[in-house]
Amino acid sequence: MANYKLALTALLTIFLFSALAIYSISFVLPKFISSFGGLASFAIPLSWIGGAIGGLLMGIFGDTKGKRLSLLISILLFVFPILGNVVVDNVVLFYLIWFLIGFGVNAVNGISYVYAAELSPPSIRGLIGSIMQGLYFLGAILGLLISFVTKETIFPYYTIIFVLSAISIPLWFLIPESKWKAKFSFRVSREFVKVTVFGSLFSIGAFLLLVPLVSLSFTLFSSLKLNAYAVILIGFIIGMIGFTIAGSISDRIGRKKASYLFAGISVFSSLLFFFGLVIASFILLMFGSSFFAYFGIWMSEIYPINFKATGTNITLFLGRLLGGGFGVTLVLLLPFGLERDLSLTALISSIIVLLSATQLP
C-alpha cells in the first residue's frame, strides 16, 4: 500500500503542474494581447481543442499500448512547449504552442482519473478524485501568485512554470503500470452508450462553466477596477475546499445526489451574477462547480476495464471541445458585455449539468 500511496502522491503532483500549465495563460493574457492583438485570446480555446483531441487519442493509446507510456508521452507534450512562450514572436506559433500544451495537459488528466480510481480504496475514491480535480484551482492559484511575484513579466513567469512542470518527468518513474488490463474494444452495451451521451452533456456543462469563468475572470475583474488578485485568490481557495467537500459527500450520498446539490448552487449563483453581484457570485460559483470534482472518478467507476481510459476521455472530449474550446470563443463573441456574457454561459451550463445528472447511474 505504501508504494501505491507514493504513486498516488506523484500522480497528484503531476496533475497539479499540468493544471498550472493550462491556466497559466490566463494571468498574462493582457501581455500577449499587447504583443499580438486581440487574436491572442483565441489561444485559450485552441488549448482546449488540443486538449479534446489529446485526451481522446492518448486515452485510446493508454487502453491499447499501456497507460503508463501514454502518461509519459502526455507529460512531455505539455512540459516542453511551455518554454515556447518565452521566445514566441508571432501569433500562429503562439496558437501551435497552446494547442500542444492543451493536448498534453488534458491527456495527462484523462489518464490520471483512471489511475486515481485504480490506486484509491473504494471508500475514499470520490474524495481522492475530487482532491485531484481541486488541484485545478491550486494550479491556478500558483499561476496567479507567480504572475504577481514576476509582475506579469513573460520570461521569468514561464521559466518558473517550466521548471516546476519539468518535475513531472522524474515523478513519472514512481507510477507503476496500470493493473486494469483487458483486450481493448470499441464495443459497449446500450447502457454505456447512454452513459456516454449524458456523461458528455455533463462534461460540456462543467467545462462551459469553469473554463470561460476561470480563463476570463482576471480580465473581467481588471476591467471593473476590482482587486483581481484578491477576488480570484479567494474564489479559487473556496473552489478547492468545495471540491474536497464534494468528493467526501459523494462517497456518502452518491455521485448523482451530490450533483443535484452542487448544480443547484451553481444555478442560483449564476442568477446572482446576472443581476450584478459579481464578486459574491464568482466565489459561490467556484463552490457550486464542485459537481465536477468527482466526475472523472465517476466515469472510471462505470466503464468496463477494457474501455476505462477511452470511455472516460470520450465523455470529456466534447466537454473539452465544446465547453472548453468553443465555450471561451462563445463568451468572447457574445454582444452583451463580458459580465453578462459570463453570467449567461454559467446559467446555461449549470442547467445542462443538472438535467444530464438525472440520466446517469
Side-chain angles (χ1 to χ4, degrees), residues 24-33 147 152-154 157-158:
S24 63
I25 188 175
S26 303
F27 310 113
V28 290
L29 185 58
K31 294 286 186 181
F32 286 118
I33 290 175
S147 71
E152 302 170 44
T153 304
I154 297 298
Y157 180 69
Y158 273 111

Side-chain angles (χ1 to χ4, degrees), residues 85-326:
N85 289 290
V86 175
V87 297
V88 64
D89 59 0
N90 69 82
V91 74
V92 175
L93 182 58
F94 185 58
Y95 287 163
L96 177 61
I97 287 168
W98 279 97
F99 180 90
L100 288 173
I101 291 173
F103 188 107
V105 165
N106 285 282
V108 166
N109 295 170
I111 298 296
S112 296
Y113 297 137
V114 178
Y115 262 120
E118 177 179 345
L119 296 173
S120 307
S123 61
I124 60 167
R125 191 174 285 159
L127 174 62
I128 297 299
S130 62
I131 290 173
M132 172 175 278
Q133 193 71 5
L135 292 176
Y136 264 118
F137 288 111
L138 185 55
I141 289 170
L142 277 177
L144 184 71
L145 294 176
I146 294 169
S147 71
F148 178 77
V149 170
T150 59
K151 299 180 180 178
E152 302 170 44
T153 304
I154 297 298
F155 181 82
Y157 180 69
Y158 273 111
T159 300
I160 292 171
I161 291 173
F162 168 75
V163 170
L164 290 174
S165 298
I167 297 172
S168 301
I169 298 171
L171 287 175
W172 172 83
F173 288 94
L174 299 175
I175 298 173
E177 180 56 84
S178 172
K179 292 182 179 179
W180 285 357
K181 293 182 179 179
K183 187 177 180 181
F184 175 77
S185 173
F186 269 116
R187 291 185 177 182
V188 291
S189 68
R190 184 174 300 177
E191 174 193 357
F192 292 117
V193 172
K194 180 181 177 182
V195 168
T196 302
V197 170
F198 287 100
S200 295
L201 285 173
F202 190 108
S203 175
I204 289 169
F207 277 101
L208 185 61
L209 172 68
L210 275 170
V211 175
L213 195 61
V214 173
S215 299
L216 299 173
S217 58
F218 188 82
T219 304
L220 172 65
F221 294 133
S222 297
S223 68
L224 294 175
K225 309 299 181 184
L226 298 172
N227 189 332
Y229 285 104
V231 176
I232 293 173
L233 181 60
I234 293 170
F236 287 172
I237 291 172
I238 295 298
M240 189 167 55
I241 292 171
F243 270 49
T244 303
I245 292 172
S248 184
I249 289 174
S250 75
D251 281 332
R252 288 173 169 80
I253 68 173
R255 317 294 187 216
K256 179 182 285 193
K257 289 181 180 178
S259 299
Y260 296 158
L261 171 64
F262 289 103
I265 293 172
S266 291
V267 170
F268 175 71
S269 307
S270 303
L271 292 172
L272 292 181
F273 204 146
F274 185 81
F275 289 110
L277 298 175
V278 178
I279 295 177
S281 58
F282 173 77
I283 293 171
L284 197 55
L285 272 169
M286 292 297 99
F287 185 81
S289 67
S290 298
F291 54 72
F292 199 32
Y294 41 80
F295 178 74
I297 290 291
W298 192 4
M299 294 298 101
S300 294
E301 290 172 331
I302 294 172
Y303 282 109
I305 291 175
N306 65 311
F307 201 66
K308 280 191 181 294
T310 301
T312 301
N313 277 289
I314 285 175
T315 60
L316 291 166
F317 174 79
L318 288 177
R320 290 165 177 156
L321 182 65
L322 300 180
F326 294 106

